[in-house]
Each structure stands twice: as structure tokens, then as C-alpha cells.
Amino acid sequence: MANVTVVGSQWGDEGKGKIVDWLSERADIVVRFQGGHNAGHTLVIGNQVYKLSLLPSGVVRGKLSVIGNGVVVDPWALLAEIEVLRKQGITITPETLKIAENVVLILPLHGDIDRLREAARGDAKIGTTGRGIGPAYEDKVARRAIRLCDLAEPATLDRKLEELLLHHNALRRGLGHPEIDRAGLRAALDEVAPKVLPFAEPVWERLDDARRGGKRILFEGAQGTMLDVDHGTYPFVTSSNTVAAQAAVGAGLAPSATGYILGITKAYTTRVGSGPFPTELTDKIGQTLGERGREFGTVTGRPRRCGWFDAVMVRQALRVSGIRGIALTKLDVLDGFDELKVCVGYQCGTEVLNHFPAGMARQAQVKPVYETMPGWKTSTKGARSWVDLPAEAIKYIRRIEELIGSPVALLSTSPERDDTILVQDPFAD
């Protein structure tokens, strides 16, 4: 049986939470491999809604859940999320949740500098969540970050705090803000250490043993491929690699362990925050998509920008991530439209492009080249087989498959877990 890696193929918010939950029942271990608590996954199980930011989606199913070394962890946010789930009847212990001992920690100073710099950008702001994810990754790459394992070594922690504060205090002075209270930060870390250290272990070893023992591992990505720091719409991206290749690096496994790569793909397009969005609709249609799809950020509550399906962008994401098949979500949001449009190319000056350009100026110039298709009046909400779908909906799906060069492996027709049509079983591949 194959392992499965789940990544978003757009700008995030594609409905990964439901699909990962659906797949997790057949997995033995669920692994988060990048991002932080800026990501949000919503799971609907019966009458209960679970909103996860940092924890792997498998926790609500009692699966062994792992936070890999590629994630940046705010220990206070983690404990708060665990407490929220406890009140919802989900108990999380060191037996059910494992965190890589070498994971980088997000400290309060990271959120501070994130928000200060974003405010200083004015109209040029990137649109971060202000939760410190980017600055934490910066410190990781600069080799001054505090890692989870450092909390168990007081002398190491003292030395690393000195180096970290040397950098951050200089930044704060430059922005006209007071320096960090070192004693207060150290006290906060000493207080949180015994609460989070029991979850720490060399998870790469556990995962490799599981792989060798034939266990099925589900790798859960956050955000989407076009938010990748290398391959996305830079600089309007997240601070980590969101492509499927990161699953191996961010979990500590060989690339061959990533298995079947499934791209979660919304039947239209959304984006949160700033950045280019060729198919964005600022009219009544865009408003309707947002209202029907309940397009508000799980973490921030910010309304998402909405637009038509962008086949050019998704095809590029599939090629970069090596996606084998897609899970098409929120098809039911398109019910009732007289016609639908799909972006099949980009007009950029006198050129027609078949990919997203890398330069900021050219990205801003891009205009969509549309293909128009008939809509459907019959509801697709809750459909659980192809025969339940109107002919026009099937034609829309087939045309998307042609344009992106990948088959639909799963089709989601509502937030409910069981309203899913299985076409190709990723775990059986």
C-alpha cells in the first residue's frame, strides 16, 4: 500500500482538511511537514466542526499524529489548540502526538516583528497573518533559532537567546520600538518547557520504522503550491516550501517515501491577502462564490478573494509538485450559474503565456484568456456517485482534467465527509 502526500494546488484554502480527514481513516500516521499556525483546516464530523491550525488533521480520528521538523511551532498556540480540542472531546497526549525534537519555535518576538514590518510596508504589505511564521523561518535559515530540544538544555538556551536578541533588538530599535525583556522571555520558556517537551522525539526515526514496517503514512501539507516561497507568486507567498517535495525534507524521510501525490483543487479559485490573481471577480459573481462557499479564512476570518477556475495556474502547480491526481472540491458552489468560465491562458502584453511569469511586473500585467462553458441548474450538493451529477457538471470536470493534464481521483460535493466520490484510491496505487 502506498503512502499519500496531500498538497494544495492553488493559493491554499482548497478544502484539504476534509480530504485529509477522509483519507486519514485508512492511514496509520498523519504528518504535518511545513508551515505553522497560519494554516487552517476545517473538519466537519457529524454536527461537530473542528478548526485546526497546527495539529495534523488525524488527531480527531485518534490516529498517531506527527509534527515534522519542517514546521515552525508556537508552543503557546499549540497548547491552546490542544485545550480547545479537549473541550470538544478530543484528548491529545504524548502517546498520540509526536513533535520533532529539532522543530523551530515561534516566540512572541516573531509575531511582534512580523506585525511591525507589515505595518511599516503600508500599501506594499504582503498580507501575512502576523503570527510570526516568516520571522521564525528567517531565524532558522540564519542559524539563530530556538528549537524544541533547546528547552531541555538551559545553558544552550541562554547562549542562543543572547544571539537571537542581538538580532531582534537591533530590528526593534530600527523600527522605533523598545527592546525585548530577556528575563521575561526566558521565564516564559521555562514555564512552557515541561508542557511541550514530553511530545518531543526524533520523529524521523519513528517514521522510517513505520515505513519499513509497511505502515501507511499520510503527509498533510498546508497552504498551496502557488504560495511556495520558491515556486509561488513571490513575494506574495508563505515562508516555507509548500510543494510535495517538502514532505520528505519536512518529515525527515527519503523522497521515495512520499508515495502518491494528491493535489487538492477547488472548482473555482480563491486567495487570501495580497498578490496577483488573474481570474479574480469583484462583481456579483465573485460575491456569490464567496457567500456560497463560505470563503472566510479559518485562522484569520478574513474574506477570501474569489474568481473563476484557473487551469493555467493549476497545471503549473501539478507539474512542479508532481501531482498524480486531484481531489476536486466545492463543485456544489457552482450550482445554478448560467455559464462558467475557465482560464486557459494568460495575456501578457502581446504574448499569450501558458504559465505564471516570475517577475512581479509581468505578474501584475497578466490578464486571463477564458473559455466559456454552460452551467447547470440541478444541485450537485451531496452527490456520492457520477450518476447523481448533471451532464454539464461532468463535462466541466472532464474539461478541467484535459486542461490541467491530470485525472480527478476524488470529488467532494459538500463539507460533509461522506459526500465524496472516489474515482481512484491513492492508498491503493
Side-chain angles (χ1 to χ4, degrees):
M1 300 293 280
N3 295 332
V4 175
T5 298
V6 172
V7 293
S9 67
Q10 293 156 307
W11 280 301
D13 310 307
E14 300 97 346
K16 292 183 291 294
K18 172 194 167 171
I19 300 300
V20 170
D21 177 52
W22 192 88
L23 291 168
S24 68
E25 190 171 53
R26 310 176 71 182
D28 298 299
I29 304 174
V30 181
V31 184
R32 267 288 303 274
F33 59 84
Q34 50 78 217
H37 64 306
N38 56 339
H41 291 173
T42 300
L43 312 182
V44 180
I45 302 176
N47 296 323
Q48 187 69 266
V49 177
Y50 301 96
K51 294 183 180 292
L52 306 179
S53 297
L54 186 58
L55 293 168
S57 297
V59 295
V60 301
R61 296 286 177 186
K63 300 292 181 174
L64 177 62
S65 298
V66 172
I67 296 177
N69 57 274
V71 180
V72 285
V73 174
D74 182 323
W76 297 277
L78 172 69
L79 293 172
E81 190 171 333
I82 289 173
E83 177 60 18
V84 169
L85 288 183
R86 186 192 66 78
K87 292 178 179 178
Q88 291 184 285
I90 306 294
T91 301
I92 297 172
T93 69
E95 285 67 48
T96 59
L97 175 67
K98 306 294 182 181
I99 304 175
E101 61 183 358
N102 54 335
V103 80
V104 165
L105 298 182
I106 301 174
L107 307 180
L109 56 84
H110 291 124
D112 288 346
I113 200 66
D114 201 358
R115 293 184 291 272
L116 290 173
R117 291 194 304 200
E118 190 76 338
R121 291 185 179 105
D123 293 339
K125 63 184 178 182
I126 294 172
T128 75
T129 60
R131 295 182 175 227
I133 282 78
Y137 275 116
E138 290 176 41
D139 285 342
K140 175 180 180 177
V141 174
R143 293 164 294 186
R144 58 173 170 260
I146 305 299
R147 303 195 298 177
L148 181 56
C149 55
D150 296 333
L151 300 184
E153 300 181 5
T156 300
L157 183 58
D158 280 333
R159 179 177 60 81
K160 295 183 76 172
L161 278 176
E162 289 295 334
E163 183 179 357
L164 184 67
L165 296 188
L166 179 68
H167 172 78
H168 278 271
N169 281 334
L171 287 176
R172 294 171 71 94
R173 289 194 299 270
L175 290 167
H177 286 264
E179 294 187 358
I180 295 158
D181 175 10
R182 184 193 182 285
L185 176 58
R186 177 58 197 267
L189 289 171
D190 287 342
E191 190 271 337
V192 81
K195 299 177 183 178
V196 293
L197 280 173
F199 296 99
E201 72 168 34
V203 300
W204 64 268
E205 188 173 35
R206 179 181 291 274
L207 292 174
D208 188 58
D209 288 344
R211 179 187 65 81
R212 293 173 183 274
K215 300 292 186 181
R216 286 171 289 191
I217 304 173
L218 179 61
F219 298 95
E220 176 184 10
Q223 289 100 19
T225 298
M226 298 309 291
L227 290 176
D228 184 275
V229 69
D230 286 298
H231 301 286
T233 49
Y234 189 93
F236 302 101
V237 292
T238 193
S239 298
S240 62
N241 288 110
T242 60
V243 294
Q246 179 63 22
V249 178
L253 289 172
S256 58
T258 55
Y260 184 102
I261 299 171
L262 180 69
I264 315 303
T265 307
K266 195 178 288 186
Y268 50 102
T269 310
T270 62
R271 178 164 198 167
V272 170
S274 306
F277 187 170
T279 67
E280 182 174 13
L281 299 169
T282 57
D283 57 9
K284 179 64 175 176
I285 294 176
Q287 182 181 347
T288 300
L289 290 173
E291 291 172 352
R292 288 185 184 176
R294 299 179 182 177
E295 297 295 354
F296 296 92
T298 300
V299 171
T300 64
R302 290 183 293 180
R304 297 174 185 140
R305 301 153 63 191
C306 298
W308 294 122
F309 187 85
D310 189 337
V312 181
M313 179 182 71
V314 173
R315 182 173 64 242
Q316 181 172 334
L318 266 57
R319 294 177 68 179
V320 170
S321 260
I323 291 168
R324 300 268 303 279
I326 68 168
L328 191 65
T329 65
K330 292 199 169 184
L331 181 70
D332 56 300
V333 174
L334 299 180
D335 292 351
F337 285 102
D338 292 327
E339 63 178 28
L340 304 171
K341 293 184 179 181
V342 176
C343 177
V344 296
Y346 293 147
Q347 188 75 45
C348 188
T350 59
E351 294 181 87
V352 176
L353 305 178
N354 62 0
H355 67 279
F356 227 122
M360 286 180 65
R362 281 167 65 80
Q363 287 178 359
Q365 293 171 5
V366 161
K367 303 296 182 185
V369 177
Y370 282 125
E371 179 178 299
T372 302
M373 300 184 64
W376 55 88
K377 298 299 182 181
T378 306
S379 174
T380 63
K381 187 176 180 63
R384 297 185 181 182
S385 71
W386 286 103
V387 298
D388 297 329
L389 298 174
E392 293 81 4
I394 295 175
K395 290 178 183 177
Y396 181 77
I397 295 166
R398 294 306 184 205
R399 183 57 179 149
I400 284 177
E401 289 178 320
E402 292 174 2
L403 291 169
I404 66 176
S406 180
V408 171
L410 291 162
L411 179 65
S412 172
T413 57
S414 91
E416 295 296 330
R417 185 174 185 272
D418 293 333
D419 291 340
T420 305
I421 300 172
L422 176 64
V423 183
Q424 181 181 15
D425 184 355
F427 275 121
D429 188 79

